[in-house]
Amino acid sequence: LSEVIKEGDDVLLLLDRKKTFLVKANKDKILHTHKGFITLENLLGEKFGTGIRSNLSVEFKALRPTIRDYIFKMNRRTQIIYPKDIALIIVNCNIHSGCHIVEAGTGTGALTAALAFYVQPSGHVFSYETRDDHIETALRNITRANLSEFVDIKNKDISEGIDERELDAVVLDLATPWQIVNHAYVALKGSGMFASFSPTIDQTLKTTIALRETGFVDINTIECLVRRIRVEIGKTRPETLMTGHTGYLTFGRKAN
Ligand SMILES: C[S@@+](CC[C@H](N)C(=O)[O-])C[C@H]1O[C@@H](n2cnc3c(N)ncnc32)[C@H](O)[C@@H]1O
């Protein structure tokens, strides 16, 4: 990756933690903000990390976008899986470059993009989705994150079966994951990883029972709560408000 910003590069312009803009560094483009406009041509040839000023002399930092930035800038059609839960899926499923993964449903494509980011350049994500409108939005979001070559979105109901075999992982975020457990077992390699994200305990229980009955081992469920800390001299303490619940993550590994 070049240190210097070139024509067509993605740049995250950061005013502060809460206000950022994801732009392409293009010659003829201007970004209008509430703090004045920025001529994006001025980014070309500068190093990532550098400060750039609007016509009102307000400074924005020009950062290289991360997968987290791309996810938070996605046009959302569905509830997404948030980075705190994605991180646990990545580590618990041992997702790395070269992995072949089936995922469903695609939804907005947030998890799809993250999986693609970690399996590239030699791995691949096959993502199943039943709704055409969701496929269209997800494709746009994944393309915006420059990850489309590592993803195939299939317009298919995954409860009818999984076409792929010898998979490293099957990752689910849909209403009835227990109906997919058998298909996942057939499609996975020996020792392959199963992960499912569900908002409710009822779904989690049904999925766990299906995993036990199908021959998965190392079955476990976790929930991740993230508490932000406000850091200021004399006032450093947890934020008053936090997200109380997103979903439960259930994992298993295929054994014979
Ligand atoms: C909550 S969204 C997934 C969000 C996604 N994980 C993300 O991070 O953007 C659930 C999606 O699953 C799709 N879906 C539900 N049942 C399905 C099935 N049996 N096969 C394929 N897709 C399904 C829905 O249409 C919906 O788009």
Side-chain angles (χ1 to χ4, degrees), residues 211-226:
L211 287 168
R212 285 180 190 153
E213 287 173 350
T214 311
F216 282 90
V217 296
D218 196 14
I219 301 163
N220 66 100
T221 295
I222 54 176
E223 179 185 14
C224 173
L225 302 179
V226 170

Side-chain angles (χ1 to χ4, degrees), residues 71-72 76 78-87 89 103-106 108-112 114 171-174 196-198 246 248-249:
I71 287 173
F72 280 120
R76 287 189 203 172
T78 63
Q79 185 57 262
I80 66 165
I81 300 196
Y82 284 92
K84 74 175 179 75
D85 294 313
I86 290 176
I89 293 171
E103 179 226 19
T106 317
T108 292
L111 177 63
T112 323
V171 184
L172 304 175
D173 175 15
L174 42 72
S196 178
F197 175 93
S198 290
T246 54
Y248 302 106
L249 286 166

Side-chain angles (χ1 to χ4, degrees), residues 102-225:
V102 157
E103 179 226 19
T106 317
T108 292
L111 177 63
T112 323
L115 293 170
F117 180 78
Y118 290 103
V119 304
Q120 68 175 322
S122 51
H124 207 80
V125 180
F126 302 89
S127 187
Y128 289 58
E129 172 60 57
T130 45
R131 285 187 49 168
D132 287 337
D133 52 340
H134 291 183
I135 292 178
E136 208 177 292
T137 308
L139 267 177
R140 252 185 276 120
N141 286 332
I142 294 161
T143 303
R144 180 72 191 90
N146 310 306
L147 290 162
S148 57
E149 65 181 291
F150 312 110
V151 176
D152 276 350
I153 302 184
K154 305 173 84 160
N155 188 350
K156 187 175 167 183
D157 181 340
I158 195 167
S159 66
E160 288 168 6
I162 294 176
D163 304 327
E164 295 73 20
R165 290 291 178 270
E166 292 297 299
L167 294 166
D168 297 289
V170 172
V171 184
L172 304 175
D173 175 15
L174 42 72
T176 54
W178 57 92
Q179 293 177 350
I180 324 298
V181 167
N182 254 314
H183 299 314
Y185 188 86
V186 173
L188 283 166
K189 283 179 180 167
S191 196
M193 309 296 311
F194 173 96
S196 178
F197 175 93
S198 290
T200 75
I201 287 182
D202 313 64
Q203 291 166 305
T204 304
L205 179 61
K206 285 182 184 162
T207 306
T208 299
I209 291 169
L211 287 168
R212 285 180 190 153
E213 287 173 350
T214 311
F216 282 90
V217 296
D218 196 14
I219 301 163
N220 66 100
T221 295
I222 54 176
E223 179 185 14
C224 173
L225 302 179

